[in-house]
Amino acid sequence: MFLTACKLTKNTSSVAKETYWQQHVDYTMDIDVDVKKFQYKGKQTLVYTNNSPDNLKKVFYHLYFNAFQPGSQMDVRSLNIKDPDRRVRDRISKLKPNEIGYIKVNSLKQNGVLVSHETVGTILEVKLNEPIKSGESVTLEMNFDAQVPVQIRRSGRNNKEGVAFSMAQWYPKLAEYDFQGWHTPPYIAREFQGVWGDFDVTIHIDKNYTVGGSGNLQNPQEVGHGYQDASQELNLPAGDKLTWNFKAPDVHDFMWAADPEYKHDVLKMENGIDLHFLYKENLDSKYLKNWQELQPKVAELMTYFSKNVGQYPYKQYSVIQGGDGGMEYAMATLITGERNFGSLFGVTAHEMAHTWFQFLLATNESLHPWMDEGFTTYISNKAENEILKENKDNPHAGSYSGYRTIVDNGYEESLSTHADRYHTNWAYGTASYSKGNIFLSQLEYVIGKENVENGLKKYFTDFSFKHPTPNDIKRSMEKVSEIDLGWYLNEWTQTLHTIDYGVKSVNGKTITLERIGKMPMPMDVEVVYQDGTIESFNIPLEMMRGNKPTTSTVLKDWGWAYPTYSFDVSKEVKSIVIDKSGLMADINSENNTFEVK
């Protein structure tokens, strides 16, 4: 699935114009784990292909574990932010030397020759001996030592439920270089981006540990632990350790987890996808029951997301107990497991949905977290509503409520804010999860539900494995609906403009609406007449240059610069409702209804 540069040729010339490119990397890693010290030694061979039009004189790696040290930027940020993450708070500042995390690069070679490098916090800066020319590949070989930090955020050892290793962001990870240049933000709190490629990962670990994670296990007959078929003979090597070899094709990250008390179940789906479940076998009986009941529901989730977004392209997916809440990774997720069934299903649905938006579409989360968290919230809410038969009219109501609350309190920040730059975690969470979700759910109001459904599928088809930007989701929806949405993308994601419409007056059979907020929208209006009959009207926004499919009476367009809009009806009016669906994020619903006295 590796995507090379896409080219277009002019009709009048054979000169090709480059329109899209992305880098490629292949990792081969071998690590030896000391389970007593929570340390490991690693060897990494990385083949990096420069598909950009630029010659690269430097490269950069992320060393995420270095954030878990007193005095790191993650530590200081948590100590100074108004509402620190409860899982972090001041915990990093109190870590002892044998509890911190680190990745120490001992040597690095470029095509067999040592190259100079410097570790700056969570970034390794590498000045190359020779530039990597456009179209060329380079081999970078590294030896490194690492220590797994106490579980604080996403990665770590001995989490609160006793899982020994939650291994995310555990290796030196090459930074992304794209049309915007290098992406090298320090690891402060959240969000990741990576280069597409293939991973071949070998893990040597105590033979009592069961390992699961990204990729497909290559040697099940050598490790057992529930991976081999019952008919297979085990060929366990002598010694205190087992060697696990995983390969993950076409991904941009690799996660693994390990524990000596993991129970491992496999559910084989009819479409050939294996679902793996790894959870502590000594869980309380009520939690064990929840994990067992979860498994067929995960199969339903896999089917739902594949049908409503795009087909899952890998052979396996793993749901693994670990981490500090819920976090998505390539072909797997880490979730805490001591939950009631509703919570366990909910967190699994959300993290699994990330596979489509965080992994297969792979937006730059640091720059546009709302395109991942928000879209994931949107589709997982819909999946839960259907699979659990919740029958909610609006499964996204919580997002609307959260958005209105932060607006009322004056803490809202623009969706264009970098993920780490929000002034509060509250603002980040509401923007990314709630307002990002509303971007799609409100589009159902603007262009119609069916257009959003088809637009989401087109978005996946056109941009999976490509790192799409906000303009790409806009264009997918425009192409399906034939409605101009430039105004919508700008107003909702780049400003703090709010929506507030009201019924200004009813004068006989003339109704006048008013726009009070700064953000314009099309209008759905339901009118109840004095004789009890009902008529629905749709008022397109002029700059949409089109209109959604509707059975309502369509009136003339409303130009956004006009603060009021009047139209005539055929009978005496009893009452009026603006947006009966509730999908428009109007911050003041009180003036959306009007009763004629």
Side-chain angles (χ1 to χ4, degrees):
M1 295 180 191
F2 171 45
L3 301 169
T4 55
C6 173
K7 296 186 176 182
L8 296 174
T9 304
K10 296 179 180 179
N11 293 332
T12 57
S13 171
S14 61
V15 177
K17 180 180 180 181
E18 192 173 76
T19 58
Y20 180 80
W21 54 266
Q22 65 181 12
Q23 308 294 64
H24 184 84
V25 64
D26 290 327
Y27 289 89
T28 301
M29 292 187 284
D30 189 299
I31 66 167
D32 189 48
V33 182
D34 184 332
V35 298
K36 294 181 180 179
K37 293 183 179 179
F38 295 98
Q39 296 176 348
Y40 52 101
K41 294 183 178 296
K43 296 180 180 179
Q44 180 189 89
T45 299
L46 186 156
V47 179
Y48 182 52
T49 302
N50 178 18
N51 292 313
S52 81
D54 308 317
N55 296 332
L56 305 179
K57 298 179 180 179
K58 296 180 179 180
V59 297
F60 301 86
Y61 292 76
H62 296 279
L63 307 176
Y64 292 111
F65 273 3
N66 289 357
F68 300 99
Q69 300 174 10
S72 71
Q73 290 198 61
M74 180 184 280
D75 176 33
V76 174
R77 174 64 168 165
S78 183
L79 293 173
N80 286 279
I81 197 169
K82 185 175 183 178
D83 57 342
D85 189 311
R86 57 179 174 77
R87 292 161 292 195
V88 183
R89 298 187 186 274
D90 64 349
R91 292 178 63 201
I92 297 176
S93 68
K94 297 178 179 179
L95 291 177
K96 300 173 183 177
N98 66 339
E99 296 176 327
I100 67 171
Y102 62 71
I103 298 177
K104 296 178 180 178
V105 177
N106 299 319
S107 66
L108 180 62
K109 294 180 179 179
Q110 176 188 359
N111 293 333
V113 180
L114 287 172
V115 65
S116 62
H117 55 86
E118 180 182 4
T119 297
V120 181
T122 61
I123 297 295
L124 183 75
E125 301 178 350
V126 182
K127 185 176 181 181
L128 298 171
N129 296 328
E130 298 289 338
I132 310 172
K133 294 181 180 179
S134 176
E136 291 187 350
S137 297
V138 65
T139 299
L140 298 168
E141 298 171 278
M142 179 189 293
N143 289 330
F144 64 94
D145 295 326
Q147 180 169 285
V148 186
V150 170
Q151 178 74 47
I152 292 178
R153 193 68 187 98
R154 295 196 169 106
S155 309
R157 69 201 205 212
N158 298 328
N159 82 340
K160 66 180 181 180
E161 296 177 350
V163 175
F165 288 92
S166 298
M167 298 296 287
Q169 292 82 50
W170 58 274
Y171 61 94
K173 180 178 178 180
L174 195 69
E176 179 66 289
Y177 182 84
D178 62 15
F179 69 100
Q180 293 176 303
W182 285 104
H183 295 273
T184 60
Y187 184 33
I188 301 296
R190 56 178 71 89
E191 311 311 345
F192 309 98
Q193 190 189 27
V195 187
W196 288 105
D198 299 335
F199 285 71
D200 185 337
V201 178
T202 299
I203 302 166
H204 309 279
I205 196 169
D206 186 286
K207 63 184 180 183
N208 294 319
Y209 281 65
T210 300
V211 181
S214 303
N216 306 303
L217 183 64
Q218 302 299 296
N219 58 335
Q221 73 283 356
E222 295 179 6
V223 298
H225 292 272
Y227 280 92
Q228 86 288 356
D229 293 334
S231 60
Q232 289 182 321
E233 265 187 47
L234 290 180
N235 183 24
L236 297 179
D240 296 328
K241 292 186 177 182
L242 290 178
T243 296
W244 302 68
N245 178 225
F246 293 89
K247 290 185 179 180
D250 297 306
V251 296
H252 51 85
D253 203 359
F254 189 100
M255 176 274 286
W256 61 278
D259 192 87
E261 297 176 344
Y262 267 153
K263 178 176 173 58
H264 176 211
D265 296 334
V266 182
L267 190 158
K268 293 182 175 294
M269 296 183 64
E270 293 181 358
N271 60 8
I273 298 172
D274 289 346
L275 302 177
H276 294 263
F277 300 86
L278 292 95
Y279 53 98
K280 300 277 283 188
E281 61 184 358
N282 60 354
L283 282 172
D284 185 280
S285 59
K286 63 182 179 181
Y287 297 133
L288 284 174
K289 181 182 178 183
N290 291 339
W291 273 88
Q292 290 155 7
E293 291 182 353
L294 175 71
Q295 296 174 24
K297 294 297 183 184
V298 171
E300 291 186 56
L301 287 168
M302 177 64 75
T303 300
Y304 183 92
F305 296 140
S306 292
K307 176 183 177 182
N308 290 281
V309 185
Q311 181 59 48
Y312 182 76
Y314 305 114
K315 295 180 180 179
Q316 76 91 10
Y317 186 84
S318 297
V319 180
I320 305 173
Q321 183 183 0
D324 56 20
M327 183 60 192
E328 71 282 353
Y329 296 100
M331 305 165 70
T333 182
L334 283 173
I335 60 174
T336 47
E338 296 178 359
R339 299 168 177 263
N340 62 45
F341 180 78
S343 176
L344 187 65
F345 177 80
V347 70
T348 304
H350 182 85
E351 304 309 333
M352 190 174 184
H354 271 296
T355 294
W356 280 261
F357 297 107
Q358 194 262 358
F359 253 92
L360 296 174
L361 283 156
T363 292
N364 185 336
E365 294 178 278
S366 292
L367 296 182
H368 315 295
W370 60 275
M371 294 181 68
D372 171 39
E373 295 294 356
F375 295 3
T376 292
T377 300
Y378 172 81
I379 202 67
S380 60
N381 283 351
K382 293 172 76 72
E384 288 183 62
N385 197 43
E386 179 173 309
I387 293 172
L388 297 184
K389 296 178 172 59
E390 294 174 332
N391 299 317
K392 296 177 180 177
D393 291 333
N394 183 4
H396 316 295
S399 291
Y400 285 81
S401 176
Y403 164 67
R404 291 181 177 113
T405 298
I406 203 168
V407 169
D408 288 345
N409 285 273
Y411 278 83
E412 186 195 10
E413 296 181 55
S414 170
L415 293 189
S416 61
T417 306
H418 186 284
D420 287 325
R421 308 294 203 278
Y422 283 88
H423 186 62
T424 64
N425 281 314
W426 182 22
Y428 161 78
T430 304
S432 302
Y433 292 77
S434 299
K435 200 172 179 184
N437 175 16
I438 297 170
F439 179 89
L440 288 181
S441 63
Q442 188 169 241
L443 261 183
E444 293 184 11
Y445 173 81
V446 176
I447 67 174
K449 182 178 180 181
E450 185 175 350
N451 278 332
V452 173
E453 291 173 350
N454 292 332
L456 202 55
K457 294 173 186 176
K458 180 172 179 57
Y459 175 55
F460 180 84
T461 298
D462 291 351
F463 296 104
S464 55
F465 295 95
K466 285 189 179 180
H467 301 303
T469 66
N471 189 64
D472 296 324
I473 182 64
K474 176 186 80 78
R475 291 294 292 135
S476 293
M477 294 295 175
E478 286 181 331
K479 289 175 182 179
V480 166
S481 67
E482 298 184 356
I483 292 173
D484 191 323
L485 295 171
W487 62 274
Y488 184 71
L489 181 69
N490 172 261
E491 295 277 344
W492 193 251
T493 70
Q494 299 170 14
T495 77
L496 296 182
H497 294 174
T498 56
I499 303 165
D500 185 10
Y501 279 86
V503 180
K504 185 174 184 179
S505 65
V506 176
N507 186 6
K509 297 178 182 178
T510 300
I511 298 171
T512 299
L513 309 178
E514 63 178 332
R515 177 177 57 80
I516 304 161
K518 292 182 179 179
M519 180 170 174
M521 287 287 282
M523 288 287 100
D524 283 340
V525 182
E526 181 181 276
V527 178
V528 179
Y529 296 116
Q530 291 289 348
D531 63 6
T533 58
I534 300 173
E535 187 172 8
S536 297
F537 298 90
N538 175 259
I539 307 170
L541 188 64
E542 183 182 279
M543 57 186 171
M544 291 167 58
R545 307 302 171 193
N547 194 39
K548 67 181 177 183
T550 181
T551 58
S552 300
T553 300
V554 179
L555 303 175
K556 67 176 182 179
D557 296 352
W558 186 346
W560 75 267
Y562 299 108
T564 62
Y565 179 100
S566 298
F567 65 100
D568 295 329
V569 294
S570 59
K571 304 177 185 179
E572 294 295 325
V573 175
K574 180 180 180 182
S575 63
I576 304 167
V577 178
I578 295 174
D579 179 30
K580 192 173 182 179
S581 72
L583 291 175
M584 185 172 68
D586 194 309
I587 62 168
N588 179 18
S589 60
E590 292 184 2
N591 58 8
N592 287 15
T593 59
F594 187 93
E595 295 283 342
V596 176
K597 302 299 185 182

